[in-house]
Amino acid sequence: MRVSIVLPRGMRFSPEGATSIDLVARDLILASRYRETTTVIGAAVDNPFPDVPFRSVVASSQRGMVAGCVDRLKVAEPDVIVVHQHPESAAAIARALPHVPVVLHRHGLLKRQKTFLSRWRRARQLARIRRVIFVSEFIRGTFLEDFPGVADRSEVIPNGVDTGLWLPGPKERRITYVGRARADKGIGELLDAFLGLDAPGWTLSLVMSVQTEEEAAFARSIEARAGGRTDIEVHRSLTIDAVRAELARSAIAALPSIVREGFPRAVVEAMSCGCAVIAGNGGGTPEAAGPAALLMDSISADTVREALAPLVSDAEDCRARGAAARAHATGHLDLAVVARRYDDLLQRMAAKGQSR
């Protein structure tokens, strides 16, 4: 079975600057029984991941990106196509290649359509898509509020992690954030919490992915607020291997997102690495974290500091929570199990396409 994975504009399929969606797509391919017959199509990058076949598209607009993807798909002749995140692109590809099943893989909330006409147009687009995968029940539920007709064509498959690769290492007194360099990720609140925390010997490590000038400006503002303190480290756009090493040695992962996440990969990775996790209690985070994490109903410097304080002061509790997090990841979110479900779905879709 030939599978084509389409990553729309905004994705970066490279060890340098990959988004969480890029990483999910790559992980599923590496764990797939169809790995040898799967190709990724996406925006051109200087250094694409070397372990997955990649076909680049150079385009200055979304329309040009879709046209370039269609050209690549016609050459690849896949049995099934998966388009990540972008329903407009998935619908356009389905219209251009009507005999190939197109699956939309949704990772985040869909922007609400404000008018009847815009909702009608979106519903027409979705009608062309054979299946919609959601990363959490939260994302599926909010989507179906606007488009209930998709219900019988939808399925929840959570983001998994290779628990044999994302492993705990010797733990240090280290609190680590991993994610985009954005104010709505709670980074400022985390920094202020640490500055007011009685935590001698502890280090705060802020691992921020910077992809836009706005994010670069935010990262600079965080660096300025850190004031050159030796117990605060600011890292920009580390490779995935460096991120994994950072989480492996961290006793605590602090992921206090204010925005409602779909199914936050950083939480899953941190738990697999045996970190005691604190996170925001919104969106799909409770589904990802299960009972092992400390979840905060509101995010402020005070609430983050209150969540961190007992972990910093009680080494045994911190270790126990890290072990519980690791057990949750291995028991519920191992990539091999998730990839098997994903492959089974693609196989069903390809079979339906061949029977038409």
Side-chain angles (χ1 to χ4, degrees):
M1 185 176 76
R2 297 183 302 276
V3 181
S4 287
I5 308 296
V6 176
L7 299 172
R9 292 182 73 208
M11 305 299 102
R12 185 175 176 80
F13 198 70
S14 167
E16 290 85 34
T19 69
S20 61
I21 294 175
D22 293 299
L23 297 175
V24 168
R26 174 175 174 258
D27 279 355
L28 286 170
I29 295 168
L30 294 179
S32 172
R33 60 180 177 263
Y34 304 113
R35 174 177 176 176
E36 300 303 321
T37 54
T38 298
T39 300
V40 173
I41 300 171
V45 291
D46 292 334
N47 180 31
F49 284 111
D51 47 10
V52 176
F54 180 73
R55 303 292 178 264
S56 64
V57 174
V58 178
S60 59
S61 66
Q62 185 60 42
R63 180 174 294 181
M65 184 71 189
V66 171
C69 289
V70 168
D71 289 341
R72 289 289 194 184
L73 289 165
K74 287 179 177 178
V75 173
E77 297 184 333
D79 297 300
V80 63
I81 300 165
V82 179
V83 180
H84 281 265
Q85 190 66 351
H86 201 244
E88 293 86 353
S89 296
I93 289 169
R95 184 172 59 247
L97 299 166
H99 301 300
V100 184
V102 173
V103 177
L104 173 64
H105 195 153
R106 285 291 305 177
H107 300 260
L109 291 172
L110 187 67
K111 185 178 180 180
R112 286 290 172 94
Q113 305 298 303
K114 297 181 180 180
T115 68
F116 171 81
L117 182 59
S118 62
R119 289 192 295 272
W120 177 79
R121 287 173 176 167
R122 176 60 56 80
R124 287 195 67 191
Q125 292 172 344
L126 294 170
R128 299 189 179 100
I129 298 167
R130 301 282 184 87
R131 198 77 175 174
V132 184
I133 297 171
F134 298 98
V135 298
S136 67
E137 290 291 351
F138 163 69
I139 293 297
R140 181 178 183 270
T142 55
F143 193 98
L144 295 182
E145 287 176 8
D146 286 339
F147 302 103
V150 175
D152 61 352
R153 292 181 285 126
S154 67
E155 185 164 341
V156 173
I157 299 180
N159 294 335
V161 64
D162 185 345
T163 59
L165 182 64
W166 292 82
L167 291 165
K171 292 298 184 182
E172 303 173 9
R173 289 190 291 179
R174 198 170 192 83
I175 303 166
T176 295
Y177 163 85
V178 174
R180 296 286 288 271
R182 291 184 356 212
D184 63 6
K185 295 294 187 176
I187 303 170
E189 287 78 3
L190 172 58
L191 177 57
D192 288 342
F194 184 77
L195 292 173
L197 189 67
D198 182 18
W202 283 80
T203 296
L204 175 64
S205 176
L206 301 174
V207 180
M208 296 185 287
S209 174
V210 176
Q211 298 177 16
T212 66
E213 179 51 41
E214 183 179 3
E215 292 175 351
F218 179 79
R220 290 192 294 269
S221 74
I222 291 295
E223 288 172 335
R225 288 171 60 185
R229 284 179 48 153
T230 57
D231 58 350
I232 301 174
E233 299 176 3
V234 179
H235 305 280
R236 297 193 193 190
S237 298
L238 295 183
T239 66
I240 190 62
D241 290 339
V243 171
R244 187 166 58 248
E246 191 70 8
L247 288 173
R249 66 179 178 144
S250 298
I252 300 171
L255 306 162
S257 185
I258 298 168
V259 69
R260 295 184 297 172
E261 305 282 356
F263 195 92
R265 179 184 172 89
V267 168
V268 178
E269 292 170 346
M271 297 181 83
S272 187
C273 286
C275 302
V277 174
I278 70 165
N281 191 25
T285 299
E287 293 178 58
L294 290 168
L295 301 181
M296 298 167 285
D297 291 329
S298 63
I299 304 299
S300 68
D302 288 340
T303 59
V304 174
R305 185 166 55 251
E306 288 169 4
L308 288 173
L311 298 176
V312 167
S313 62
D314 188 338
E316 184 54 40
D317 182 48
C318 189
R319 282 193 294 270
R321 288 189 177 276
R326 170 70 183 171
H328 177 72
T330 56
H332 299 279
L333 300 171
D334 187 74
L335 180 62
V337 176
V338 172
R340 186 160 55 247
R341 289 181 56 194
Y342 191 78
D343 284 348
D344 289 346
L345 183 150
L346 297 187
Q347 185 178 39
R348 293 196 303 271
M349 292 300 101
K352 289 182 179 180
Q354 292 166 0
S355 65
R356 290 173 69 90

